[in-house]
Amino acid sequence: MKSRILLACLVLAIAALVAVPWLASYFYIFIFTEILIMGLFAASFNLVFGYTGMLSFGHAAFFGVGSYATALVLIHLQWPFLACLVVSMGVSALLALVIGFLSVRLNEVYFAMLTLAFGMMVFAIAYQWRSVTGGSDGLAGFTLGSFGLGIDLTLANPTVYYHVVLAIVGIAALVLYIICRSSFGMILKAIRQNPERVSFAGLNVRTYRLVAFTIAGSFAGLAGGLIAPFLRVASPELLHWSTSAEPVLMSILGGTGYFLGPFIGSAVFVLLETWITSFTESWMLVLGIILALMVVFFRKGLLGTVLDWWMEVKK
């Protein structure tokens, strides 16, 4: 019953998302584009946190590096957009492999602190390497050319770019879902619950954690590759530890125990931030209070709590 409800809601959500440009103003087209990109960013983080049980405070490193990779390729090589995204995923996956190799041997708070340290190191490099990254100004002035694969799209059009982001995020989400539902994903869940027992079964826990960390980094890089053309700039702020906190909040807010939880959390987070900033300068205080109340009263996240409530009503 629960899976049928989720499937019906998913179909309705996809139909509504496809229709957004014809139902909403340009302002909300930009808002929903951001929601999709940040949702993918949060979903990539949830593969590490919700499924594997590793709390990373440096996930923005892969997000930001992906955005810089796209910007640099567009500036210096003018490759098609799809090729830029492949580069973003590859560079971020390589960085995740290096950081993960040094981090996954540690557990709990030590892992979290080490990923935070590596994340801030990447931020410092981007901030100071002005000749390559533009320093505090970031990289701007790049333009999107062709989409790739012989498909003629006007990517500068917000409506077209929104649908491109929707398609790419949808495909990426499907791949992540297949990974989470596979035997590999089941082992990750087992590692989250009891890594010692998994180790006793003859499986190399560190290897599985490293692979999950690398996959998550590659999809965070894909989200970063999408955010750079959207913002028209790749800046060090995308690498900062405060950006790493956003997928943590989104995942917990939506529900880490559910695959769609991070996407729900992303929508709520971005919409709340947008609406609150429109009527108060103290938006961070108001947003913080609202998010704190949601976390306290929705212990399984918004999606999990709503589903539990619905099942109780059906009984």
Side-chain angles (χ1 to χ4, degrees):
M1 179 62 72
K2 187 182 291 188
S3 60
R4 291 180 181 177
I5 295 173
L6 279 175
L7 181 60
C9 293
L10 181 60
V11 171
L12 289 174
I14 292 174
L17 287 171
V18 171
V20 162
W22 301 296
L23 300 175
S25 63
Y26 265 170
F27 175 76
Y28 278 100
I29 293 175
F30 286 115
I31 294 300
F32 276 91
T33 303
E34 182 181 359
I35 288 172
L36 289 170
I37 296 172
M38 297 306 293
L40 177 59
F41 182 31
S44 70
F45 165 80
N46 200 45
L47 180 65
V48 173
F49 179 55
Y51 284 85
T52 319
M54 300 185 295
L55 177 58
S56 172
F57 284 144
H59 207 61
F62 318 122
F63 183 64
V65 164
S67 70
Y68 272 105
T70 292
L72 287 169
V73 172
L74 287 173
I75 290 172
H76 298 291
L77 301 175
Q78 292 85 44
W79 284 1
F81 185 48
L82 277 182
C84 296
L85 296 181
V86 171
V87 172
S88 296
M89 291 187 72
V91 172
S92 296
L94 181 60
L95 178 64
L97 179 63
V98 174
I99 293 177
F101 179 78
L102 299 172
S103 303
V104 297
R105 63 191 66 195
L106 301 177
N107 295 318
E108 299 174 352
V109 68
Y110 304 104
F111 172 84
M113 291 299 101
L114 190 56
T115 55
L116 174 62
F118 279 121
M120 292 310 296
M121 286 172 58
V122 175
F123 167 79
I125 292 172
Y127 195 84
Q128 297 177 16
W129 200 2
R130 178 170 289 275
S131 61
V132 175
T133 64
S136 59
D137 297 327
L139 295 175
F142 50 86
T143 57
L144 286 171
S146 63
F147 176 75
L149 301 178
I151 302 174
D152 185 20
L153 294 174
T154 307
L155 295 176
N157 186 322
T159 300
V160 174
Y161 191 72
Y162 168 80
H163 279 128
V164 167
V165 169
L166 178 60
I168 293 174
V169 170
I171 295 171
L174 179 60
V175 173
L176 278 173
Y177 180 76
I178 293 172
I179 292 172
C180 293
R181 296 286 291 181
S182 67
S183 57
F184 174 76
M186 296 300 105
I187 293 174
L188 294 183
K189 287 184 177 180
I191 291 173
R192 180 194 65 195
Q193 295 172 0
N194 197 322
E196 291 80 10
R197 185 170 294 180
V198 174
S199 181
F200 290 154
L203 298 175
N204 192 319
V205 172
R206 289 184 182 176
T207 299
Y208 278 93
R209 283 177 168 171
L210 178 59
V211 172
F213 195 82
T214 304
I215 293 173
S218 67
F219 281 97
L222 174 60
L226 292 171
I227 201 72
F230 172 68
L231 297 177
R232 297 292 192 270
V233 64
S235 65
E237 283 73 18
L238 297 174
L239 295 155
H240 198 258
W241 66 267
S242 58
T243 304
S244 291
E246 292 186 15
V248 178
L249 287 172
M250 292 173 182
S251 298
I252 294 175
L253 184 60
T256 58
Y258 299 86
F259 179 78
L260 292 176
F263 291 97
I264 302 297
S266 170
V268 173
F269 184 90
V270 173
L271 288 173
L272 278 176
E273 183 180 10
T274 301
W275 292 334
I276 293 171
T277 52
S278 66
F279 65 82
T280 177
E281 294 182 357
S282 304
W283 65 271
M284 293 186 68
L285 175 62
V286 178
L287 179 62
I289 293 173
I290 294 174
L291 292 178
L293 291 173
M294 285 184 173
V295 171
V296 169
F297 292 104
F298 295 85
R299 305 301 290 273
K300 292 185 178 181
L302 293 173
L303 182 58
T305 303
V306 169
L307 287 176
D308 285 351
W309 172 80
W310 177 256
M311 295 306 294
E312 288 294 328
V313 170
K314 294 293 288 184
K315 290 180 181 179

